[in-house]
Amino acid sequence: MSTAPAAVPMFDAARIRKDFPILGQQVHGKPLVYLDNAATAQKPKAVLDCIAKVYTEDYANVHRGVHTLSQRATELFEGAREKVQRHLNARHSHEIIFTRGTTEAINLVAQSYGRPRFKAGDEILITAMEHHSNIVPWQMLCQQTGAVLKVVPIDRTGALVLDQFEALLSNRTRLLAVAHMSNALGTINPVEKLIEQAHRHGVPVLVDGAQAIPHMAVDVRALDCDFYAFSGHKLYGPAGIGILYGKEELLDKMPPYQGGGDMIRRVTFEKTEYNTLPYKFEAGTPSIVDAIALGAAIDYVNGIGIETIAEHEHRLLAYATEQALRIPGLELVGQAADKGAILSFTLHRIHPHDIGTILDHLGIAIRAGHHCAMPVMDFFGVPATARASFGLYNTFEEVDALIAGIHEVIEVFG
Amino acid sequence: MLDQIRDLYQEVVFDHNRNPRNFRVMEDANRTIEGFNPLCGDRITLYVKIDGDGIIQDVSFQGSGCAISTASASLMTEIVRGMHESQAHALFQTFHRIATGKDETLNLEELGKLAVLAGVRAYPARVKCATLAWHSLEAAIENKQATVTTE
């Protein structure tokens, strides 16, 4: 085994790890090695403290209250919206809609943008590497409108077949919905190029950024995407909060997705006048503290620097890939040239579920299964994969522990 | 750690995983059931031949799954052949109680050969793997047509 490369300059993993109280524990008598970041990331103390502080000192409902706490909570809540706006480089803060997560954001676009517009025979373009949450809302929309789902294929490395993408874009295409980064394969899609091509055909684009947002800088204006969706919990923030970014001119034309609460300006039994953006899409009391804590998570990430995080994770991935490929019987699923810090693999004659159980006994948390991307599993002809996914707090020693663990799995299975 | 893991992965489990018994299509089955565990993608097709007296004359399976689900299916095909369907049902009830930890008194003798899978009770996430084939058998006994899932 080669020695781990020197840590990224300015990146002190030991210090970073101290920010995450949960990482200090042991599992089955071994130090926890948390490698399930693509499913959800752990939370730094800054986020935990923010949640405690707001509930302890500033909590009240937002927007309607005339009292001090409500005004304070409203300021914090809207302040978080502005942090998200700056993080994505959106033009306006009212282009930032708080949702429960990526899934709800995609459903919002399907139901509010697609449903009133799409007709029988219209085409919605997705890719073969999408997560179920960027497949099923479109299938539902197809059932409701008679639109047809078209799928851009992938090749054996797990990269999009770009020629096919070009060929599938037609004058019937009404929307492209594409993952920025695949949760099952790690593939990073050339979304800027895809968006440019789609726009040349007058096709708007939704980017599912659930996996990308913790690992790279995202500039929605540079990308020129029409919608961008992501979740707080993968970005070291709370679960139950997510973001839909949409261009103002599109959001303005879309009817509300859900009724009630903040989305209303004036209600009579004859007619309801809807509120302006972004409140038009935020029915009911929002997840106030989670939104504020998402702001804290963004501050935390930016305090380290997303480029620094990306570089560290790329080194981890390169190191892990090199070590993994030396293991007899191990096959990597997803080897696209442009790839995020996800190591999806199978072992000859050992099911991923068994790998996951044995690694858990060594304190190593990975994911085993189809990762809510069953079409990807079908394409590669596997029922499931074992997936180790890295975050900013992972270390080269943890990669070593993973590799040693895989060797133990093989030993147990004889 | 390996000692503990051996409770789950006993040699018998590995043996049945590597060389599953009755792993074949049964052309003259009178019950065929698809079992599916959406959590991990495990799939099984279970073939059963039950005679007019409710005796399980033959049982076989095909599919793909983890060691626990494959071994459980393989063992099951060996154990239930020749049993009356009510006996198979009762055995599964006992196994399920033990596997899910609902039975405090652990009487492994009641389980016979199935006892090698009792270790699964320490792994709640794996109970569904161990019971997939059995849920499929239950459906076959009840003559259900739809795909069985463990969800």
Side-chain angles (χ1 to χ4, degrees):
Chain A
M1 225 178 257
S2 68
T3 50
V8 183
M10 310 299 289
F11 192 86
D12 183 352
R15 186 182 58 75
I16 298 260
R17 290 178 71 80
K18 289 211 179 81
D19 295 337
F20 292 80
I22 203 168
L23 298 178
Q25 70 184 294
Q26 297 206 326
V27 169
H28 296 294
K30 308 268 177 170
L32 167 66
V33 175
Y34 185 78
L35 298 178
D36 196 15
N37 295 287
T40 196
Q42 300 299 347
K43 318 305 170 199
K45 205 163 171 300
V47 169
L48 303 176
D49 288 349
C50 171
I51 293 168
K53 182 194 172 286
V54 178
Y55 275 124
T56 311
E57 298 172 13
D58 308 312
Y59 181 73
N61 211 332
V62 289
H63 297 143
R64 276 162 297 235
V66 292
H67 57 81
T68 303
L69 286 190
S70 176
Q71 283 164 11
R72 233 190 265 163
T74 303
E75 264 173 46
L76 289 167
F77 182 75
E78 292 304 325
R81 196 190 304 276
E82 283 162 19
K83 284 180 188 177
V84 176
Q85 177 207 347
R86 285 195 296 274
H87 193 64
L88 295 180
N89 193 31
R91 198 176 299 274
H92 310 288
S93 67
H94 59 248
E95 292 178 318
I96 304 299
I97 315 291
F98 283 118
T99 65
R100 280 189 300 136
T102 310
T103 303
E104 191 179 66
I106 294 172
N107 277 279
L108 193 165
V109 175
Q111 291 303 313
S112 173
Y113 179 81
R115 198 167 180 178
R117 276 182 189 74
F118 294 0
K119 309 245 168 344
D122 284 354
E123 293 175 1
I124 301 162
L125 197 53
I126 61 168
T127 84
M129 72 174 84
E130 298 309 315
H131 187 277
H132 294 167
S133 59
N134 201 24
I135 302 173
V136 183
W138 308 115
Q139 283 176 333
M140 290 165 70
L141 180 61
C142 286
Q143 280 176 347
Q144 289 156 349
T145 61
V148 183
L149 202 62
K150 295 277 171 176
V151 183
V152 184
I154 53 177
D155 64 23
R156 296 303 298 180
T157 70
L160 281 183
V161 183
L162 292 173
D163 296 352
Q164 293 279 329
F165 167 68
E166 186 85 76
L168 280 164
L169 268 180
S170 80
N171 56 12
R172 288 186 301 275
T173 312
R174 294 288 170 267
L175 185 89
L176 166 67
V178 58
H180 200 164
M181 173 172 155
S182 156
N183 74 313
L185 303 167
T187 310
I188 296 171
N189 285 317
V191 286
E192 196 164 358
K193 202 168 144 189
L194 301 179
I195 292 164
E196 197 194 315
Q197 274 176 285
H199 281 177
R200 249 186 273 137
H201 287 77
V203 175
V205 182
L206 174 141
V207 180
D208 170 357
Q211 291 299 328
I213 201 82
H215 307 294
M216 64 186 85
V218 172
D219 181 330
V220 292
R221 267 192 278 177
L223 289 176
D224 197 29
C225 57
D226 301 276
F227 300 103
Y228 197 95
F230 74 90
S231 296
H233 69 97
K234 289 187 172 59
L235 187 61
Y236 309 99
I241 191 79
I243 296 296
L244 174 69
Y245 156 81
K247 283 181 180 166
E248 181 184 31
E249 60 266 33
L250 292 175
L251 292 174
D252 259 341
K253 289 184 202 137
M254 288 157 55
Y257 169 52
Q258 292 172 333
D262 262 358
M263 52 76 71
I264 281 134
R265 179 172 283 161
R266 180 183 153 84
V267 177
T268 65
F269 284 111
E270 287 70 41
K271 189 178 181 297
T272 294
E273 215 178 292
Y274 301 132
N275 207 336
T276 51
L277 286 177
Y279 312 112
K280 185 169 83 171
F281 294 110
E282 292 179 357
T285 294
S287 200
I288 301 162
V289 181
D290 294 323
I292 297 168
L294 171 58
I298 288 173
D299 287 344
Y300 178 80
V301 165
N302 288 334
I304 299 168
I306 194 85
E307 304 292 347
T308 307
I309 293 168
E311 198 183 339
H312 172 66
E313 289 173 350
H314 272 105
R315 289 191 190 193
L316 283 177
L317 179 69
Y319 181 59
T321 304
E322 187 201 325
Q323 302 295 319
L325 285 173
R326 292 185 193 166
I327 299 174
L330 185 145
E331 284 211 38
L332 286 184
V333 179
Q335 299 191 67
D338 199 2
K339 206 185 140 176
I342 283 176
L343 196 75
S344 210
F345 63 94
T346 59
L347 289 178
H348 182 59
R349 298 195 68 178
I350 307 178
H351 193 279
H353 221 151
D354 298 313
I355 301 170
T357 295
I358 297 172
L359 289 181
D360 178 56
H361 261 271
L362 296 164
I364 304 166
I366 61 149
R367 188 61 167 265
H370 51 63
H371 319 297
C372 294
M374 290 171 92
V376 174
M377 302 295 115
D378 289 344
F379 176 77
F380 286 99
V382 294
T385 73
R387 180 188 70 185
S389 51
F390 304 96
L392 60 86
Y393 37 63
N394 290 124
T395 64
F396 292 94
E397 290 73 24
E398 288 181 313
V399 174
D400 290 339
L402 170 70
I403 300 297
I406 296 171
H407 282 291
E408 285 229 40
V409 172
I410 294 169
E411 200 189 309
V412 168
F413 265 69
Chain B
M1 96 93 196
L2 290 181
D3 291 346
Q4 213 179 341
I5 207 85
R6 290 283 177 205
D7 274 350
L8 180 65
Y9 293 103
Q10 298 192 25
E11 269 314 314
V12 179
V13 172
F14 284 128
D15 175 33
H16 279 264
N17 179 47
R18 280 187 212 108
N19 308 297
R21 320 296 197 266
N22 303 302
F23 193 78
R24 58 184 156 83
V25 177
M26 194 195 302
E27 297 296 347
D28 59 343
N30 54 11
R31 314 278 166 87
T32 302
I33 291 285
E34 301 286 331
F36 179 48
N37 183 350
L39 187 74
C40 55
D42 288 357
R43 280 176 189 283
I44 184 175
T45 307
L46 188 71
Y47 304 91
V48 190
K49 194 160 39 175
I50 302 179
D51 69 14
D53 298 327
I55 303 293
I56 299 168
Q57 294 290 347
D58 197 7
V59 53
S60 71
F61 78 107
Q62 291 224 294
S64 75
C66 63
I68 305 299
S69 77
T70 304
S72 175
S74 172
L75 275 162
M76 184 189 81
T77 62
E78 285 197 319
I79 293 167
V80 302
R81 180 179 292 125
M83 275 188 180
H84 188 271
E85 49 186 35
S86 64
Q87 286 174 288
H89 174 74
L91 178 61
F92 175 50
Q93 293 300 311
T94 306
F95 176 51
H96 199 264
R97 274 203 322 276
I98 288 173
T100 52
K102 283 180 187 143
D103 199 336
E104 300 282 311
T105 60
L106 186 63
N107 183 357
L108 294 181
E109 278 185 12
E110 259 185 282
L111 289 179
K113 280 171 89 174
L114 216 46
V116 299
L117 287 171
V120 79
R121 69 194 178 284
Y123 301 83
R126 304 308 298 275
V127 172
K128 286 174 178 175
C129 309
T131 55
L132 176 62
W134 287 88
H135 283 293
S136 304
L137 181 66
E138 292 274 280
I141 289 170
E142 289 164 26
N143 212 359
K144 280 188 192 156
Q145 299 303 326
T147 298
V148 178
T149 82
T150 50
E151 289 301 290

